[in-house]
Amino acid sequence: MANALLEMRGITKVYPNGVVANKDVEFSLREGEIHAIAGENGAGKSTLMKIMFGMESPSEGGLYIRGEQVKLQSPQDAIDRGIGMVHQHFMLVPSFTVAENMVLGMEPKKGVGFNYAEAVRLTEATARKYNLSVNAKAKVEDLSVGMKQKVEILKALVRGAKILILDEPTAVLTPQETEELFHELQQLKEQGHTIVFISHKLKEVKAICDRITIMRGGRSEGVFDTKEVTEQEISRLMVGRDVVLKYDKSDLPYGKPVLAVEGLSVSDGQGKALLSGISFSVREGQIVGIAGVEGNGQTQLIEALTGGLRGVGGSGSVQVKGKDIRELDILDIRNLGVSYIPEDRMRQGSAGEASIADNLISTRYRQKDMNKGPFLHGSRIAALASALVEEFKVRCSGPQQPIGMLSGGNMQKVVVARECSTNPQLLIAEQPTRGVDIGAAQFIHQKLLELRSANCATLLVSADLNEILELSDSLLVMYEGQIVAYFDNPSAVGEEELGLYMLGINRQDKEQTGRAAYHV
Amino acid sequence: MFKVKYFEAIRTAAVIVIALIIAFLIISLVSDHPVKTIGIFLWEPLSTKGHIGNVIEMAIPLMFTGLAVSLLFRANMFNLGAEGIFYFSGVVTTALAIHLSLNSWFHPVVAILAGSIVGALLSAIPGILKAKWNANELVTSLMFNNILFGVGLYLLNYYLRDAKAFANVSFKFEKTAQLSKLFAGTRIHTGLIIVLVLIVLAHLFLYRTKWGYELRMTGVNRDFARYSGMKTAKVIILVHLIAGFIAGMGGSVEVLGMYSRFQWTSLPGYGMDGALVAMLAKNNPFSVIVSALFLAYIRIGADMMSRLSDVPSEMISIIQAVIILLISAEQFLKFWKNRMLLKEAKEA
Amino acid sequence: MNSLLNVILTTDFAFSVLRVTTPILFAALGALISNRAGIINIGMEGIMLVSALAGVIVSAYTQSAWVGLLGAVLSGTLIAGILAFFTLKFKTHIILGGVAINMFASGGTVFILYLLSGDKGSSTSLASKVLPSIDIPLLQDIPVLGPILSGHHILTYFSILSVLVVYYLLNRTPLGLRIRSVGENPHAAQSVGVSVVRIQYSALLLSGFFASLGGAYMSMGYLSLFTRDMIAGRGWIAIAAESMGRSTTVGTALTSLLFGAADALSNALQVLKIPAELIATLPYVATVIGLIIYAVSETRKKNKKLKATITK
């Protein structure tokens, strides 16, 4: 390890809300290599990279450049030490030209003025030097995504970056653009730059990286030469199961289909398909799981089911109990008996400053039993809130405590309590146990199974394979907006096999995936 | 032991103490007899029945606008339009107080309701613009203040002005229109009862009805409200209507309760003061009473001070500015809150 | 109608347009700078009022109009600095901070005026100085243009110059580039080591600087004394002008001129028996209409884009 350019030793990062994002992570970067950090969402890649770029400081552990310990207080410190970063969400000023974006913060001067000609010259010179062609005078808002990324790379290079961190750089690119990027990265490597490449796309990692550090659950699972590991091995390390959950599931026959999605397709502005030809059904008493690496269309699918894509067209149908809901508003959809546990409990799932009781009634305060003439039925609401707090074992000082004061797990229990206690006929559960301690997670799982016994149809979207394999009666895998696999006995599916579908290495044929839609 | 949940109360108290200390410092610098002047400032408002009456009279319009602004802030709407509506509704009421002839029961009721309804409708405009097209409600409401003032002043000068009077004032109101006094020896008028009733109603509305519930949830987290199935655009328009109604009623009541002619030739400032009252009250209807009384108290104190000593009453606007700056400062005393949080976390 | 044209088509009218535009233009340029840095300074009215008073007091005590101007500018900038300190350091809400500044100024100026002169209405008892007006050689002899453009108050010329200065500052200097980047995408600015807070401090101080020039003009040019609440809404008109001008230097300057013309016209229109009170609301009405048009078109654009992006 003597020739390590940058090393991170024993990095642990605990966020103020108690989330442990990195635990004892070791990372070492050799000069002149392209080094991948691979892992699922939530594996701690982003945090590690933020620490590397001075955006976060580690709770424990240190960062060493050429063996010398350094403390990075800000991105500027990192820039000064030759570290550059290309963020996933571009850090560009849209109305500025490429040249203006390039020199922001280090503007060339002429007298008191800004020397734009020099900025253009510098941009063009840098672009030539690294063989990355850009139009220095074009406005950034008019550029394609691939071009913007080039500008970001040049921005880092012009600031003297020798180490370049790229955060999921291909996530927004077309295949052609990706190829071009790889070519550029190879050239940079030949010119002596060192590149950290964050990704969960194994093909890409295999294609251009020399070494790979695999992360899972905030820990590093080891460093490998990419030549020496197979995609299968990487996939196993990335998506392994840690604790095996076991639940007793009653064996009841499914009822009628409650949710039926038929040929749903939606695309974004660049013509990139977000969802294409999605068909599946969820029946009474059935839990259908959707597995997949995040960003493969799950979000858009959920939006289409919960009123979020109202008025934006697309093709295909989404029916709940035989009624097409694509143009219904949220209230109408909920009135059909649909409950929804959202992915983000802070943004959508709760009103932080409001009390637990207020949070519990938000989807049912209109019901007759909650009202007394024009007034809310205070005593019934209080009784309901106390009962739910007790039933769901929410640890709090009482139903009047603001929900924002609770821990993540207890907050999530409140969300789950609200959504599960209205006798839903269709429950859409999106990452229902994310960032929740194991106890609360198991409790939530039990509740989902209870609803299943009560004949509720459940669509479960989760990045947690334990959860999805154990709870689901049948399982869909999404990759790039499509259903690439369907299993009707998920507990028999190995995570390794699943990983191959999730990462796009394997896919089933149409006939197999078509079985998901056997409501027709 | 200080607890985090008392933090907001402690902070408010600290702001008030700092503001008073600054007041004392200013007085000490300016006055030849600082101790005596401070005494006047602090105790004169309580010295006679008339002075106590002054405090309450002053608090009435502050309660109206404070309540209106509280509701808007509760819905997380940054609208400062209460100022213009207060003024304009006063003009509308003036017109009816002069030109209608009704008995002394109906006359004020009709005049005040007309002012309130006009206020509600005017207030709805920024609300609709916000709800439908996301037009910044702050800028529109600030522009509306000036527009309403201009139009109101025009109506005063061209239609309501008493040419025989020496100043720019309206004709005298019909006696039947004026609000009756509640207590002999003071000018406290029935507007006090009206505003207290409104505050109780607002409390019930906010905490006991489903519309109030929707309003609160929309204010805390509009995404959450929408996700739960609430029609947040309607909620936003509704709160604008209600707040405009209350602010308008405030202007109408003030005109009929305190004056016999309309005589504002500039914006009276109660709308902006309402923002201060709402902030001190943490947007809580019942607390509006206390914070309006507090503000009225220090104003009357300053008024007395300027009459009985050598310090002008305008000092109070400096104090108000300090209170606003500190009370809305998120970071003020935050370090202390963090320390308390840490301590409680350790104890737990 | 003829009588109106007779009033408007005179060099006197054109001259007076520039005269009344001056304070609006200064403050609008100030509002422009802070807005471009992403912070709405609604304390313009207050800053102008304070600097108007400071100019009178300092010039009266030093018997120098120029030192008075310096005093006005320093005090106005100081007020902006206080606002900046509270909003950027203590995270006071910027709008409420602006409300506080206006409240402070409307009473505080009267308070200080009374302490120094014993009068709450105006500064007649203070022997304050005014800044000079300037006849421009050669130009003053040209017919029509001469009487319109020559003989103005020095700050009027300075306000026109300021348009160029602000344009240059925002579009041609490193500071301007940073100000615009902070207003448009603070994360981008931060990521390349630009201190967002420091830039916003500078922008607020600059907005105070320009607003206080407008204030100084009011009491040391437009009038030769301070009177209570003498800004009379010009700070708000300036904010409106900046908003109507869509936050561009040229747009802001032209709208200021337009609003100045409306102001000058309100006197002229009285010939036609159109009330001045209503004319005075024109800038605000225009701004609301402009805002609505903008908001509606933005919403349409967004919807269209969303539709285009998702259906395609």
Side-chain angles (χ1 to χ4, degrees), chain B residues 31 33 36-45 47-48 51 300-313, chain C residues 114:
Chain B
S31 176
H33 313 282
K36 188 175 151 239
T37 309
I38 289 174
I40 295 170
F41 174 58
L42 282 185
W43 307 121
E44 200 59 25
S47 63
T48 69
H51 292 174
I300 298 298
D303 239 23
M304 304 290 163
M305 181 177 78
S306 73
R307 266 188 251 161
L308 302 172
S309 79
D310 47 357
V311 180
S313 63
Chain C
Y114 175 77

PDB file of all heavy atoms in Angstrom, chain B residues 31 33 36-45 47-48 51 300-313, chain C residues 114:
ATOM      1  N   SER B  31     -32.929  60.585  27.592  1.00  0.00           N
ATOM      2  CA  SER B  31     -33.706  61.333  28.576  1.00  0.00           C
ATOM      3  C   SER B  31     -32.806  62.027  29.601  1.00  0.00           C
ATOM      4  O   SER B  31     -31.732  61.535  29.946  1.00  0.00           O
ATOM      5  CB  SER B  31     -34.657  60.378  29.289  1.00  0.00           C
ATOM      6  OG  SER B  31     -35.347  61.068  30.305  1.00  0.00           O
ATOM      7  N   HIS B  33     -34.041  62.501  32.594  1.00  0.00           N
ATOM      8  CA  HIS B  33     -34.418  61.796  33.832  1.00  0.00           C
ATOM      9  C   HIS B  33     -34.769  60.361  33.492  1.00  0.00           C
ATOM     10  O   HIS B  33     -35.946  59.981  33.501  1.00  0.00           O
ATOM     11  CB  HIS B  33     -35.632  62.467  34.479  1.00  0.00           C
ATOM     12  CG  HIS B  33     -35.524  63.947  34.560  1.00  0.00           C
ATOM     13  ND1 HIS B  33     -34.770  64.592  35.516  1.00  0.00           N
ATOM     14  CD2 HIS B  33     -36.049  64.914  33.770  1.00  0.00           C
ATOM     15  CE1 HIS B  33     -34.848  65.887  35.319  1.00  0.00           C
ATOM     16  NE2 HIS B  33     -35.613  66.129  34.263  1.00  0.00           N
ATOM     17  N   LYS B  36     -37.108  58.164  35.872  1.00  0.00           N
ATOM     18  CA  LYS B  36     -38.499  58.613  35.873  1.00  0.00           C
ATOM     19  C   LYS B  36     -39.176  58.236  34.547  1.00  0.00           C
ATOM     20  O   LYS B  36     -40.313  57.763  34.523  1.00  0.00           O
ATOM     21  CB  LYS B  36     -38.528  60.131  36.069  1.00  0.00           C
ATOM     22  CG  LYS B  36     -39.910  60.677  36.274  1.00  0.00           C
ATOM     23  CD  LYS B  36     -39.886  62.178  36.591  1.00  0.00           C
ATOM     24  CE  LYS B  36     -41.168  62.823  36.093  1.00  0.00           C
ATOM     25  NZ  LYS B  36     -40.962  63.880  35.124  1.00  0.00           N
ATOM     26  N   THR B  37     -38.441  58.422  33.450  1.00  0.00           N
ATOM     27  CA  THR B  37     -39.020  58.144  32.134  1.00  0.00           C
ATOM     28  C   THR B  37     -39.331  56.664  31.963  1.00  0.00           C
ATOM     29  O   THR B  37     -40.396  56.294  31.480  1.00  0.00           O
ATOM     30  CB  THR B  37     -38.046  58.597  31.034  1.00  0.00           C
ATOM     31  OG1 THR B  37     -37.653  59.937  31.313  1.00  0.00           O
ATOM     32  CG2 THR B  37     -38.704  58.540  29.677  1.00  0.00           C
ATOM     33  N   ILE B  38     -38.387  55.829  32.413  1.00  0.00           N
ATOM     34  CA  ILE B  38     -38.641  54.389  32.331  1.00  0.00           C
ATOM     35  C   ILE B  38     -39.872  54.036  33.147  1.00  0.00           C
ATOM     36  O   ILE B  38     -40.721  53.238  32.726  1.00  0.00           O
ATOM     37  CB  ILE B  38     -37.404  53.586  32.811  1.00  0.00           C
ATOM     38  CG1 ILE B  38     -36.285  53.703  31.785  1.00  0.00           C
ATOM     39  CG2 ILE B  38     -37.765  52.110  33.019  1.00  0.00           C
ATOM     40  CD1 ILE B  38     -34.970  53.079  32.210  1.00  0.00           C
ATOM     41  N   GLY B  39     -39.994  54.676  34.311  1.00  0.00           N
ATOM     42  CA  GLY B  39     -41.168  54.452  35.164  1.00  0.00           C
ATOM     43  C   GLY B  39     -42.446  54.783  34.417  1.00  0.00           C
ATOM     44  O   GLY B  39     -43.421  54.020  34.445  1.00  0.00           O
ATOM     45  N   ILE B  40     -42.418  55.917  33.723  1.00  0.00           N
ATOM     46  CA  ILE B  40     -43.612  56.296  32.963  1.00  0.00           C
ATOM     47  C   ILE B  40     -43.910  55.256  31.894  1.00  0.00           C
ATOM     48  O   ILE B  40     -45.041  54.785  31.746  1.00  0.00           O
ATOM     49  CB  ILE B  40     -43.410  57.686  32.303  1.00  0.00           C
ATOM     50  CG1 ILE B  40     -43.268  58.760  33.380  1.00  0.00           C
ATOM     51  CG2 ILE B  40     -44.564  58.011  31.366  1.00  0.00           C
ATOM     52  CD1 ILE B  40     -42.834  60.107  32.846  1.00  0.00           C
ATOM     53  N   PHE B  41     -42.869  54.899  31.182  1.00  0.00           N
ATOM     54  CA  PHE B  41     -43.012  53.931  30.088  1.00  0.00           C
ATOM     55  C   PHE B  41     -43.615  52.625  30.603  1.00  0.00           C
ATOM     56  O   PHE B  41     -44.507  52.047  29.987  1.00  0.00           O
ATOM     57  CB  PHE B  41     -41.634  53.694  29.455  1.00  0.00           C
ATOM     58  CG  PHE B  41     -41.595  52.620  28.413  1.00  0.00           C
ATOM     59  CD1 PHE B  41     -42.392  52.683  27.280  1.00  0.00           C
ATOM     60  CD2 PHE B  41     -40.723  51.541  28.544  1.00  0.00           C
ATOM     61  CE1 PHE B  41     -42.340  51.700  26.311  1.00  0.00           C
ATOM     62  CE2 PHE B  41     -40.673  50.551  27.569  1.00  0.00           C
ATOM     63  CZ  PHE B  41     -41.485  50.629  26.455  1.00  0.00           C
ATOM     64  N   LEU B  42     -43.133  52.185  31.763  1.00  0.00           N
ATOM     65  CA  LEU B  42     -43.573  50.882  32.253  1.00  0.00           C
ATOM     66  C   LEU B  42     -44.921  50.923  32.958  1.00  0.00           C
ATOM     67  O   LEU B  42     -45.728  50.020  32.804  1.00  0.00           O
ATOM     68  CB  LEU B  42     -42.525  50.297  33.199  1.00  0.00           C
ATOM     69  CG  LEU B  42     -41.298  49.664  32.559  1.00  0.00           C
ATOM     70  CD1 LEU B  42     -40.431  49.025  33.630  1.00  0.00           C
ATOM     71  CD2 LEU B  42     -41.718  48.614  31.521  1.00  0.00           C
ATOM     72  N   TRP B  43     -45.166  51.964  33.761  1.00  0.00           N
ATOM     73  CA  TRP B  43     -46.331  51.892  34.654  1.00  0.00           C
ATOM     74  C   TRP B  43     -47.487  52.802  34.284  1.00  0.00           C
ATOM     75  O   TRP B  43     -48.610  52.566  34.690  1.00  0.00           O
ATOM     76  CB  TRP B  43     -45.900  52.155  36.109  1.00  0.00           C
ATOM     77  CG  TRP B  43     -44.772  51.270  36.520  1.00  0.00           C
ATOM     78  CD1 TRP B  43     -43.539  51.651  36.953  1.00  0.00           C
ATOM     79  CD2 TRP B  43     -44.768  49.843  36.499  1.00  0.00           C
ATOM     80  NE1 TRP B  43     -42.749  50.556  37.205  1.00  0.00           N
ATOM     81  CE2 TRP B  43     -43.478  49.424  36.931  1.00  0.00           C
ATOM     82  CE3 TRP B  43     -45.705  48.860  36.154  1.00  0.00           C
ATOM     83  CZ2 TRP B  43     -43.121  48.086  37.013  1.00  0.00           C
ATOM     84  CZ3 TRP B  43     -45.346  47.532  36.251  1.00  0.00           C
ATOM     85  CH2 TRP B  43     -44.058  47.155  36.670  1.00  0.00           C
ATOM     86  N   GLU B  44     -47.197  53.834  33.495  1.00  0.00           N
ATOM     87  CA  GLU B  44     -48.267  54.785  33.204  1.00  0.00           C
ATOM     88  C   GLU B  44     -49.489  54.142  32.526  1.00  0.00           C
ATOM     89  O   GLU B  44     -50.612  54.519  32.823  1.00  0.00           O
ATOM     90  CB  GLU B  44     -47.705  55.946  32.368  1.00  0.00           C
ATOM     91  CG  GLU B  44     -48.525  57.212  32.373  1.00  0.00           C
ATOM     92  CD  GLU B  44     -48.752  57.821  33.757  1.00  0.00           C
ATOM     93  OE1 GLU B  44     -47.929  57.571  34.668  1.00  0.00           O
ATOM     94  OE2 GLU B  44     -49.757  58.525  33.925  1.00  0.00           O
ATOM     95  N   PRO B  45     -49.273  53.156  31.630  1.00  0.00           N
ATOM     96  CA  PRO B  45     -50.453  52.552  30.993  1.00  0.00           C
ATOM     97  C   PRO B  45     -51.417  51.920  31.993  1.00  0.00           C
ATOM     98  O   PRO B  45     -52.577  51.707  31.675  1.00  0.00           O
ATOM     99  CB  PRO B  45     -49.850  51.478  30.072  1.00  0.00           C
ATOM    100  CG  PRO B  45     -48.476  51.932  29.802  1.00  0.00           C
ATOM    101  CD  PRO B  45     -48.026  52.630  31.046  1.00  0.00           C
ATOM    102  N   SER B  47     -51.879  53.249  35.070  1.00  0.00           N
ATOM    103  CA  SER B  47     -52.109  54.184  36.169  1.00  0.00           C
ATOM    104  C   SER B  47     -53.572  54.582  36.325  1.00  0.00           C
ATOM    105  O   SER B  47     -54.052  54.782  37.431  1.00  0.00           O
ATOM    106  CB  SER B  47     -51.250  55.425  35.966  1.00  0.00           C
ATOM    107  OG  SER B  47     -51.664  56.062  34.778  1.00  0.00           O
ATOM    108  N   THR B  48     -54.279  54.730  35.263  1.00  0.00           N
ATOM    109  CA  THR B  48     -55.687  55.123  35.400  1.00  0.00           C
ATOM    110  C   THR B  48     -56.544  54.208  34.550  1.00  0.00           C
ATOM    111  O   THR B  48     -56.058  53.525  33.650  1.00  0.00           O
ATOM    112  CB  THR B  48     -55.932  56.563  34.895  1.00  0.00           C
ATOM    113  OG1 THR B  48     -55.767  56.572  33.466  1.00  0.00           O
ATOM    114  CG2 THR B  48     -54.987  57.560  35.519  1.00  0.00           C
ATOM    115  N   HIS B  51     -56.199  55.029  30.935  1.00  0.00           N
ATOM    116  CA  HIS B  51     -55.001  54.511  30.267  1.00  0.00           C
ATOM    117  C   HIS B  51     -55.122  53.019  29.972  1.00  0.00           C
ATOM    118  O   HIS B  51     -54.732  52.558  28.903  1.00  0.00           O
ATOM    119  CB  HIS B  51     -53.759  54.781  31.122  1.00  0.00           C
ATOM    120  CG  HIS B  51     -53.437  56.238  31.206  1.00  0.00           C
ATOM    121  ND1 HIS B  51     -52.448  56.752  32.012  1.00  0.00           N
ATOM    122  CD2 HIS B  51     -53.981  57.304  30.574  1.00  0.00           C
ATOM    123  CE1 HIS B  51     -52.407  58.066  31.877  1.00  0.00           C
ATOM    124  NE2 HIS B  51     -53.328  58.423  31.014  1.00  0.00           N
ATOM    125  N   ILE B 300     -48.712  52.290  24.160  1.00  0.00           N
ATOM    126  CA  ILE B 300     -49.346  53.303  25.003  1.00  0.00           C
ATOM    127  C   ILE B 300     -48.314  53.840  25.990  1.00  0.00           C
ATOM    128  O   ILE B 300     -48.246  55.038  26.261  1.00  0.00           O
ATOM    129  CB  ILE B 300     -50.574  52.717  25.742  1.00  0.00           C
ATOM    130  CG1 ILE B 300     -51.611  52.257  24.720  1.00  0.00           C
ATOM    131  CG2 ILE B 300     -51.161  53.731  26.700  1.00  0.00           C
ATOM    132  CD1 ILE B 300     -52.170  53.356  23.828  1.00  0.00           C
ATOM    133  N   GLY B 301     -47.456  52.917  26.502  1.00  0.00           N
ATOM    134  CA  GLY B 301     -46.389  53.358  27.400  1.00  0.00           C
ATOM    135  C   GLY B 301     -45.531  54.407  26.721  1.00  0.00           C
ATOM    136  O   GLY B 301     -45.214  55.461  27.310  1.00  0.00           O
ATOM    137  N   ALA B 302     -45.168  54.152  25.467  1.00  0.00           N
ATOM    138  CA  ALA B 302     -44.333  55.098  24.746  1.00  0.00           C
ATOM    139  C   ALA B 302     -45.077  56.399  24.497  1.00  0.00           C
ATOM    140  O   ALA B 302     -44.500  57.488  24.555  1.00  0.00           O
ATOM    141  CB  ALA B 302     -43.898  54.475  23.415  1.00  0.00           C
ATOM    142  N   ASP B 303     -46.372  56.279  24.242  1.00  0.00           N
ATOM    143  CA  ASP B 303     -47.208  57.456  24.033  1.00  0.00           C
ATOM    144  C   ASP B 303     -47.226  58.350  25.267  1.00  0.00           C
ATOM    145  O   ASP B 303     -47.021  59.565  25.197  1.00  0.00           O
ATOM    146  CB  ASP B 303     -48.640  56.972  23.767  1.00  0.00           C
ATOM    147  CG  ASP B 303     -49.126  57.434  22.429  1.00  0.00           C
ATOM    148  OD1 ASP B 303     -48.267  57.725  21.573  1.00  0.00           O
ATOM    149  OD2 ASP B 303     -50.356  57.496  22.254  1.00  0.00           O
ATOM    150  N   MET B 304     -47.456  57.713  26.407  1.00  0.00           N
ATOM    151  CA  MET B 304     -47.477  58.442  27.682  1.00  0.00           C
ATOM    152  C   MET B 304     -46.131  59.088  27.920  1.00  0.00           C
ATOM    153  O   MET B 304     -46.027  60.231  28.352  1.00  0.00           O
ATOM    154  CB  MET B 304     -47.762  57.466  28.841  1.00  0.00           C
ATOM    155  CG  MET B 304     -49.026  56.679  28.704  1.00  0.00           C
ATOM    156  SD  MET B 304     -50.437  57.754  28.904  1.00  0.00           S
ATOM    157  CE  MET B 304     -51.728  56.763  28.213  1.00  0.00           C
ATOM    158  N   MET B 305     -45.110  58.300  27.628  1.00  0.00           N
ATOM    159  CA  MET B 305     -43.741  58.763  27.840  1.00  0.00           C
ATOM    160  C   MET B 305     -43.493  60.034  27.032  1.00  0.00           C
ATOM    161  O   MET B 305     -42.895  60.993  27.527  1.00  0.00           O
ATOM    162  CB  MET B 305     -42.801  57.640  27.417  1.00  0.00           C
ATOM    163  CG  MET B 305     -41.344  57.904  27.570  1.00  0.00           C
ATOM    164  SD  MET B 305     -40.446  56.410  27.082  1.00  0.00           S
ATOM    165  CE  MET B 305     -40.536  56.552  25.301  1.00  0.00           C
ATOM    166  N   SER B 306     -43.969  60.043  25.794  1.00  0.00           N
ATOM    167  CA  SER B 306     -43.688  61.214  24.975  1.00  0.00           C
ATOM    168  C   SER B 306     -44.476  62.420  25.461  1.00  0.00           C
ATOM    169  O   SER B 306     -44.053  63.554  25.305  1.00  0.00           O
ATOM    170  CB  SER B 306     -44.003  60.925  23.504  1.00  0.00           C
ATOM    171  OG  SER B 306     -45.392  60.878  23.315  1.00  0.00           O
ATOM    172  N   ARG B 307     -45.628  62.150  26.075  1.00  0.00           N
ATOM    173  CA  ARG B 307     -46.404  63.283  26.575  1.00  0.00           C
ATOM    174  C   ARG B 307     -45.839  63.819  27.879  1.00  0.00           C
ATOM    175  O   ARG B 307     -45.837  65.009  28.116  1.00  0.00           O
ATOM    176  CB  ARG B 307     -47.859  62.851  26.809  1.00  0.00           C
ATOM    177  CG  ARG B 307     -48.742  63.152  25.608  1.00  0.00           C
ATOM    178  CD  ARG B 307     -50.175  62.890  25.952  1.00  0.00           C
ATOM    179  NE  ARG B 307     -50.639  61.707  25.244  1.00  0.00           N
ATOM    180  CZ  ARG B 307     -51.710  61.014  25.595  1.00  0.00           C
ATOM    181  NH1 ARG B 307     -52.406  61.350  26.673  1.00  0.00           N
ATOM    182  NH2 ARG B 307     -52.080  59.968  24.893  1.00  0.00           N
ATOM    183  N   LEU B 308     -45.358  62.896  28.714  1.00  0.00           N
ATOM    184  CA  LEU B 308     -44.976  63.299  30.067  1.00  0.00           C
ATOM    185  C   LEU B 308     -43.473  63.474  30.243  1.00  0.00           C
ATOM    186  O   LEU B 308     -43.016  63.866  31.299  1.00  0.00           O
ATOM    187  CB  LEU B 308     -45.468  62.250  31.084  1.00  0.00           C
ATOM    188  CG  LEU B 308     -46.982  62.011  31.069  1.00  0.00           C
ATOM    189  CD1 LEU B 308     -47.340  60.841  31.963  1.00  0.00           C
ATOM    190  CD2 LEU B 308     -47.736  63.270  31.495  1.00  0.00           C
ATOM    191  N   SER B 309     -42.692  63.116  29.221  1.00  0.00           N
ATOM    192  CA  SER B 309     -41.249  63.277  29.384  1.00  0.00           C
ATOM    193  C   SER B 309     -40.663  63.793  28.082  1.00  0.00           C
ATOM    194  O   SER B 309     -41.375  64.258  27.203  1.00  0.00           O
ATOM    195  CB  SER B 309     -40.605  61.947  29.782  1.00  0.00           C
ATOM    196  OG  SER B 309     -40.464  61.134  28.619  1.00  0.00           O
ATOM    197  N   ASP B 310     -39.358  63.658  27.962  1.00  0.00           N
ATOM    198  CA  ASP B 310     -38.685  64.243  26.814  1.00  0.00           C
ATOM    199  C   ASP B 310     -38.313  63.212  25.749  1.00  0.00           C
ATOM    200  O   ASP B 310     -37.505  63.482  24.882  1.00  0.00           O
ATOM    201  CB  ASP B 310     -37.415  64.973  27.282  1.00  0.00           C
ATOM    202  CG  ASP B 310     -36.598  64.114  28.232  1.00  0.00           C
ATOM    203  OD1 ASP B 310     -37.038  62.978  28.568  1.00  0.00           O
ATOM    204  OD2 ASP B 310     -35.525  64.555  28.662  1.00  0.00           O
ATOM    205  N   VAL B 311     -38.871  61.997  25.834  1.00  0.00           N
ATOM    206  CA  VAL B 311     -38.529  60.973  24.846  1.00  0.00           C
ATOM    207  C   VAL B 311     -39.715  60.764  23.902  1.00  0.00           C
ATOM    208  O   VAL B 311     -40.811  60.465  24.353  1.00  0.00           O
ATOM    209  CB  VAL B 311     -38.185  59.634  25.531  1.00  0.00           C
ATOM    210  CG1 VAL B 311     -37.829  58.584  24.488  1.00  0.00           C
ATOM    211  CG2 VAL B 311     -37.037  59.836  26.501  1.00  0.00           C
ATOM    212  N   PRO B 312     -39.508  60.919  22.605  1.00  0.00           N
ATOM    213  CA  PRO B 312     -40.625  60.786  21.675  1.00  0.00           C
ATOM    214  C   PRO B 312     -41.104  59.339  21.538  1.00  0.00           C
ATOM    215  O   PRO B 312     -40.337  58.391  21.703  1.00  0.00           O
ATOM    216  CB  PRO B 312     -40.071  61.303  20.344  1.00  0.00           C
ATOM    217  CG  PRO B 312     -38.596  61.216  20.478  1.00  0.00           C
ATOM    218  CD  PRO B 312     -38.269  61.347  21.923  1.00  0.00           C
ATOM    219  N   SER B 313     -42.392  59.198  21.244  1.00  0.00           N
ATOM    220  CA  SER B 313     -43.002  57.861  21.230  1.00  0.00           C
ATOM    221  C   SER B 313     -42.508  57.003  20.071  1.00  0.00           C
ATOM    222  O   SER B 313     -42.681  55.795  20.082  1.00  0.00           O
ATOM    223  CB  SER B 313     -44.519  57.990  21.131  1.00  0.00           C
ATOM    224  OG  SER B 313     -44.850  58.608  19.901  1.00  0.00           O
TER     225      SER B 313
ATOM    226  N   TYR C 114     -36.619  64.388  15.861  1.00  0.00           N
ATOM    227  CA  TYR C 114     -37.166  65.135  16.994  1.00  0.00           C
ATOM    228  C   TYR C 114     -36.082  65.449  18.015  1.00  0.00           C
ATOM    229  O   TYR C 114     -35.997  66.560  18.533  1.00  0.00           O
ATOM    230  CB  TYR C 114     -38.294  64.325  17.636  1.00  0.00           C
ATOM    231  CG  TYR C 114     -38.846  64.951  18.894  1.00  0.00           C
ATOM    232  CD1 TYR C 114     -39.713  66.041  18.823  1.00  0.00           C
ATOM    233  CD2 TYR C 114     -38.485  64.462  20.153  1.00  0.00           C
ATOM    234  CE1 TYR C 114     -40.209  66.630  19.975  1.00  0.00           C
ATOM    235  CE2 TYR C 114     -38.989  65.046  21.305  1.00  0.00           C
ATOM    236  CZ  TYR C 114     -39.849  66.139  21.210  1.00  0.00           C
ATOM    237  OH  TYR C 114     -40.339  66.713  22.346  1.00  0.00           O
TER     238      TYR C 114
END
